[in-house]
Amino acid sequence: MLFRSVAPESNVRARSVHDKGPYKFAVFLMLVHYLSIVALVTCVVIFILNPKQASVPPLIGSIVATLFTWLVAFIKRRSVRCPLCKGTPLLDGGASKNAKAYRLPPLNYGNTAVLGILFLSRFRCMYCGTPYDMLKKPSNQKYR
């Protein structure tokens, strides 16, 4: 059961996020970082299979791009805060996790939240355990 607690329980409704912009931008930066990791792995394989001088600049460029995108995504994920507990739900810190927090086994809680927003448009804060739905409209904007 890989996604045992992705769907919220029937008695707990997901909350809305009032300011979705920082979340979307942080997830976009992580997507760019994931793509740069794919480019790095591809350049390493090309360099191993064809160790010529022409394959070195793309390898160095992909290493620099991966480090740069990691740094920028890290800074942005660190600035995104949970609306309820003010923790950093997209960045796994050393604090204790809520019993309802979940993660995909090879990843940490922060990367699982990023993938949850990217593919499901929902996440659960690892610190307070509150489920959030990125598609749900805030209650004060429902009838506007």
Side-chain angles (χ1 to χ4, degrees), residues 30-138:
M30 278 304 293
L31 179 63
V32 171
H33 176 65
Y34 292 149
L35 292 175
S36 69
I37 290 173
V38 170
L40 175 64
V41 169
T42 304
C43 288
V44 167
V45 169
I46 289 172
F47 182 73
I48 290 172
L49 295 177
N50 189 13
K52 293 187 178 176
Q53 187 69 20
S55 60
V56 173
L59 178 64
I60 293 172
S62 63
I63 291 171
V64 170
T66 301
L67 293 175
F68 179 73
T69 58
W70 175 82
L71 180 65
V72 172
F74 175 79
I75 292 169
K76 186 59 185 172
R77 287 188 305 152
R78 189 175 180 143
S79 68
V80 173
R81 300 288 181 182
C82 172
L84 190 62
C85 71
K86 304 303 181 206
T88 55
L90 302 183
L91 186 65
D92 197 1
S96 62
K97 310 299 186 265
N98 190 293
K100 293 180 182 178
Y102 66 94
R103 70 180 185 95
L104 298 175
L107 303 174
N108 61 16
Y109 291 95
N111 283 328
T112 301
V114 167
L115 292 177
I117 293 173
L118 185 62
F119 292 113
L120 304 173
S121 297
R122 60 178 46 227
F123 71 98
R124 182 182 292 269
C125 178
M126 69 184 95
Y127 302 115
C128 63
T130 306
Y132 290 98
D133 190 354
M134 300 295 287
L135 299 177
K136 187 174 181 181
K137 292 197 183 293

